[in-house]
Amino acid sequence: MPNSNGIAYNFTPGKGAPVVIMHGWGCSRQTVASIEAAVRSLGRPVLNVDFPGFGESPEPAAVWGTDDYARAIETLLDRLAIGGDAVLLGHSFGGRVAITIASRRPVGKVVLVDAAGVKPRRSLKYYAKVYSFKAKKNLLKLVCGKERAEKILDRLRAKAGSSDYRNSSPKMRAIMSRVVNEDLCHLMPQIKAPTLLVWGEADTATPLADAKIMERLIPDAGLVSFPGAGHYSFLDRPGQFVAVLTSFLNS
């Protein structure tokens, strides 16, 4: 069901505070369908969205940052008359959006699942790779011209990047490069809502150390971690995840 802004979503009415579910990068609302089903079984209203550029939602017209995604979701919440009692639940990239919204808008609760938002620590090897790429970029533009150089560089980026990067369109690759380097730590102390952090202890994409930083920076945050679970802790430990989520929603 798309709204007038082209965002595809599922919305199920119910009683109590609505839960807004936001998926991770490279995923869609189908990825988090098990969470949607769990919330629906509690009789609560639930909104499960496809971010622009994912699932059934068209790509943004420009290279968006996290703030642009947050504003798009806020517009949808306003259109659906979802108010300040809403529970924002974000996995991975969806956690970035949840952090951004909750830092500036009243919400009832926040659930961050293996969430992004802490800028990754970069090794010397990483910076050597970045500056080497920039040197190649400038040289190619001089030798081949801007248009041809961009085509060559795009192939190099796709070859060297992660699977998420390789599987994205050029615009979504540019968006990914932008958002992955955004550090949201300065927003976390502004989140006033009770916040549940749910993590897989074997998560390598957003490691447990990130969760501990969030727990320290968000005033009313608590962390639950699952041994052996990875970046998709809600899929690796579905029974435990639903039990923890249900307890938090009903508390």
Side-chain angles (χ1 to χ4, degrees):
M1 181 194 301
N3 79 342
S4 59
N5 290 331
I7 297 178
Y9 63 87
N10 300 334
F11 179 71
T12 304
K15 294 182 179 180
V19 179
V20 180
I21 304 173
M22 295 173 283
H23 62 78
W25 191 271
C27 300
S28 72
R29 68 189 193 274
Q30 297 303 319
T31 311
V32 289
S34 62
I35 304 177
E36 179 186 353
V39 175
R40 197 167 55 239
S41 71
L42 299 175
R44 284 177 174 263
V46 56
L47 172 67
N48 187 6
V49 303
D50 278 343
F51 283 126
F54 302 95
E56 297 179 349
S57 295
E59 293 183 1
V63 176
W64 279 12
T66 302
D67 187 70
D68 299 296
Y69 277 97
R71 291 187 187 283
I73 297 302
E74 287 175 304
T75 298
L76 178 58
L77 297 181
D78 292 340
R79 287 181 181 275
L80 295 175
I82 294 177
D85 62 341
V87 179
L88 302 183
L89 188 156
H91 170 247
S92 194
F93 172 70
R96 285 185 178 275
V97 179
I99 289 167
T100 302
I101 294 173
S103 71
R104 67 189 184 205
R105 180 186 181 110
V107 298
K109 293 181 180 179
V110 179
V111 183
L112 301 177
V113 185
D114 302 292
V118 176
K119 188 174 181 178
R121 293 175 181 169
R122 306 300 192 183
S123 65
L124 187 60
K125 182 179 179 180
Y126 168 84
Y127 286 108
K129 182 179 178 181
V130 169
Y131 289 118
S132 174
F133 187 85
K134 287 183 178 180
K136 288 178 184 177
K137 179 178 179 179
N138 292 330
L139 181 61
L140 280 168
K141 285 183 177 179
L142 286 173
V143 174
C144 304
K146 184 177 180 180
E147 185 174 342
R148 189 180 172 199
E150 285 300 329
K151 291 180 179 178
I152 295 171
L153 289 167
D154 196 53
R155 288 199 297 270
L156 289 173
R157 291 188 188 102
K159 185 177 180 180
S162 66
S163 59
D164 281 343
Y165 189 91
R166 289 193 298 272
N167 294 331
S168 299
S169 70
K171 182 181 289 180
M172 296 308 293
R173 289 174 189 167
I175 291 174
M176 183 180 182
S177 296
R178 179 177 176 182
V179 300
V180 77
N181 287 306
E182 292 177 340
D183 190 346
L184 305 185
C185 286
H186 65 289
L187 298 180
M188 295 174 193
Q190 300 172 36
I191 298 174
K192 306 307 179 187
T195 300
L196 171 65
L197 307 169
V198 184
W199 238 261
E201 293 183 8
D203 188 342
T204 56
T206 53
L208 187 61
D210 290 2
K212 292 178 179 178
I213 291 171
M214 293 183 186
E215 184 181 27
R216 187 177 72 248
L217 292 176
I218 299 172
D220 186 8
L223 171 62
V224 176
S225 63
F226 300 141
H231 188 56
Y232 292 82
S233 60
F234 64 96
L235 296 177
D236 292 340
R237 299 288 185 274
Q240 291 171 283
F241 177 83
V242 170
V244 168
L245 176 62
T246 301
S247 176
F248 181 68
L249 293 178
N250 291 336
S251 64

